[in-house]
Amino acid sequence: MTGELDITNHAKVADYLCRSRQRPADQVVLDLAGLAFMDSSGLRALLSCHQDCLGQGGELRLAALQAVPARLMEITGVHAHLSVHHTVDQALSAALTKISG
C-alpha cells in the first residue's frame, strides 16, 4: 500500500482486502512501507480485515509501518491486537510458519 489510507479510500481498500483472500484460512501480509498516512477510517478497514481473517482461521500481518500509521496504532492500542512486523520478510516468515505449523 502506498500514499494514504483514509476516509477517501478506506471502503475500496476494505473491499479489495476481502476479495483478495482466496481461501478462508489465508494469511494476509500487507507491506505498508509506502503508507505515509492513515486515519481512523483506514484503521477500521485494517481491523475489519483482521477480524475477517481470524474468523476464518487466517491472519492479517502488517509490515514496515511508517511513523504516522504506527503512532495511530500505538495511541489507539490497536498494535497490541495486530501482528506487526518490522519487515515484509519477517511477516512472510511468520505467515509461512503459521501455515506449516
Side-chain angles (χ1 to χ4, degrees), residues 3-21:
E4 299 180 353
L5 178 52
D6 58 21
I7 191 81
T8 65
N9 62 3
H10 76 281
K12 288 180 185 176
V13 170
D15 181 56
Y16 172 78
L17 291 173
C18 284
R19 287 186 294 112
S20 66
R21 293 192 344 258

Side-chain angles (χ1 to χ4, degrees), residues 60-101:
L60 171 66
R61 297 176 186 281
L62 307 177
L65 271 95
Q66 297 304 304
V68 173
R71 181 72 176 135
L72 176 62
M73 288 188 186
E74 180 182 330
I75 289 169
T76 59
V78 168
H79 69 290
H81 303 284
L82 296 174
S83 295
V84 179
H85 304 270
H86 291 287
T87 67
V88 173
D89 286 342
Q90 290 173 342
L92 290 171
S93 178
L96 291 173
T97 299
K98 177 87 173 191
I99 291 169
S100 64

